[in-house]
Amino acid sequence: EVDFFEAYTYHITALPGSAEHSLKHLMSYGAVALKPLSERLTHLEIPVAFIYGRHDWMDWKYAHKVCRRRGPNSSTLVIIEEAGHHAYLDQPHE
């Protein structure tokens, strides 16, 4: 699995840009969302899982608020210890 993620990471960084060009339409300065998902996720009628690394640059506290608003058994917040934003690479077995 680690080999797969290494190859994946190489290819998404070596190839010409694509989805990242949309960020200027989705985010403001400081990586703040122009239209935060937190308001829309609260009303979803399916389970939602949030996965963050303990040292992620994104703030997991917003996901925690969404989980509280959604009520019990409708969402999960997982924080992976010793991981950053790319938790799947930092702690692939977690």
Side-chain angles (χ1 to χ4, degrees):
E1 292 177 355
V2 172
D3 291 337
F4 170 78
F5 286 118
E6 287 176 357
Y8 167 76
T9 302
Y10 168 76
H11 287 289
I12 64 170
T13 56
L15 295 173
S18 59
E20 61 268 21
H21 295 294
S22 66
L23 292 177
K24 65 183 175 186
H25 303 286
L26 301 172
M27 303 183 111
S28 182
Y29 296 105
V32 175
L34 295 173
K35 295 181 181 178
L37 286 174
S38 59
E39 300 303 321
R40 291 175 275 169
L41 291 174
T42 302
H43 304 293
L44 282 179
E45 296 180 9
I46 59 173
V48 177
F50 299 95
I51 302 172
Y52 288 83
R54 173 67 66 195
H55 307 291
D56 202 322
W57 64 268
M58 295 182 71
D59 191 349
W60 57 267
K61 292 176 186 81
Y62 293 106
H64 181 61
K65 289 179 185 177
V66 170
C67 290
R68 282 198 332 251
R69 284 189 212 138
R70 288 176 51 86
N73 304 319
S74 65
S75 51
T76 305
L77 172 59
V78 177
I79 299 175
I80 306 294
E81 296 297 330
E82 302 302 322
H85 185 68
H86 296 282
Y88 56 90
L89 288 175
D90 296 336
Q91 295 294 332
H93 302 292
E94 293 293 318

